Amino acid sequence: MIFDKLKPEVETIISNSNKSINKRLQDICKLLENHIEYYNWVGFYFRNEKKEELILGPYVGEPTDHTVIPFGKGICGQVAVSNKNFVVPDVSAQDNYIACSITVKAEIVIPIFVNGENIGQIDIDSNTPDPFTEADERFLEFVCKKVAGML
């Protein structure tokens, strides 16, 4: 399984303290986008400490206008409030979806917890309808746990 092969690579990126945190996050985005064919946009959003909003961090994929997302708005904003994984097999069926690109068909968002607090999330868009499985969720939870250990 591709996820098992990527886990050690994620750990290697995380453990490279010679690189900045942002550079390591960027490298994780590149790794996932390059090796999982249905991951078409991969990025991190982090909680703004002063406001109830998310700020876009490192990402790979098409540029996005959504650099700030209020809590509760869109899939990412809903995860900031619910503290739960959100898998969207068909974004067109979601009422509270912020469209980044007309090519996006599905999205998965997994929160990042540090000391029990939701401090951000990994967000992945796919141009493939309904591509995400429980294996994606478990793998991305692993990635988020490793990222949390670095923050």
Side-chain angles (χ1 to χ4, degrees):
M1 186 80 190
I2 185 72
F3 298 132
D4 292 332
K5 291 178 183 160
L6 291 177
K7 283 181 177 180
E9 293 188 50
V10 168
E11 290 176 320
T12 299
I13 291 169
I14 295 290
S15 65
N16 185 354
S17 58
N18 292 326
K19 290 185 177 182
S20 71
I21 288 174
N22 275 352
K23 179 64 175 129
R24 287 183 270 172
L25 292 172
Q26 183 75 42
D27 288 349
I28 289 170
C29 292
K30 286 180 189 171
L31 176 74
L32 301 186
E33 196 266 344
N34 286 336
H35 288 88
I36 304 171
E37 75 178 54
Y38 54 93
Y39 285 18
N40 303 111
W41 190 97
V42 179
F44 290 93
Y45 281 93
F46 291 98
R47 175 186 296 265
N48 177 350
E49 295 298 324
K50 297 178 178 115
K51 295 181 181 178
E52 290 198 337
E53 64 187 14
L54 297 165
I55 305 296
L56 180 62
Y59 73 94
V60 295
E62 292 293 317
T64 180
D65 293 333
H66 304 115
T67 57
V68 177
I69 298 176
F71 282 15
K73 183 102 170 105
I75 308 307
C76 291
Q78 290 176 73
V79 169
V81 173
S82 74
N83 298 320
K84 295 186 172 134
N85 298 352
F86 201 158
V87 181
V88 182
D90 178 5
V91 295
S92 69
Q94 285 292 315
D95 291 340
N96 189 2
Y97 172 69
I98 303 171
C100 291
S101 166
I102 59 167
T103 61
V104 175
K105 304 287 186 241
E107 183 172 10
I108 185 169
V109 179
I110 308 293
I112 301 168
F113 295 97
V114 173
N115 299 322
E117 182 184 351
N118 181 348
I119 57 94
Q121 54 201 225
I122 191 167
D123 177 23
I124 298 173
D125 291 342
S126 180
N127 298 340
T128 304
D130 196 11
F132 304 116
T133 66
E134 188 174 326
D136 290 277
E137 276 193 83
R138 299 297 84 82
F139 172 67
L140 294 171
E141 287 169 350
F142 165 85
V143 170
C144 288
K145 196 172 284 187
K146 294 298 175 183
V147 166
M150 173 181 74
L151 299 175

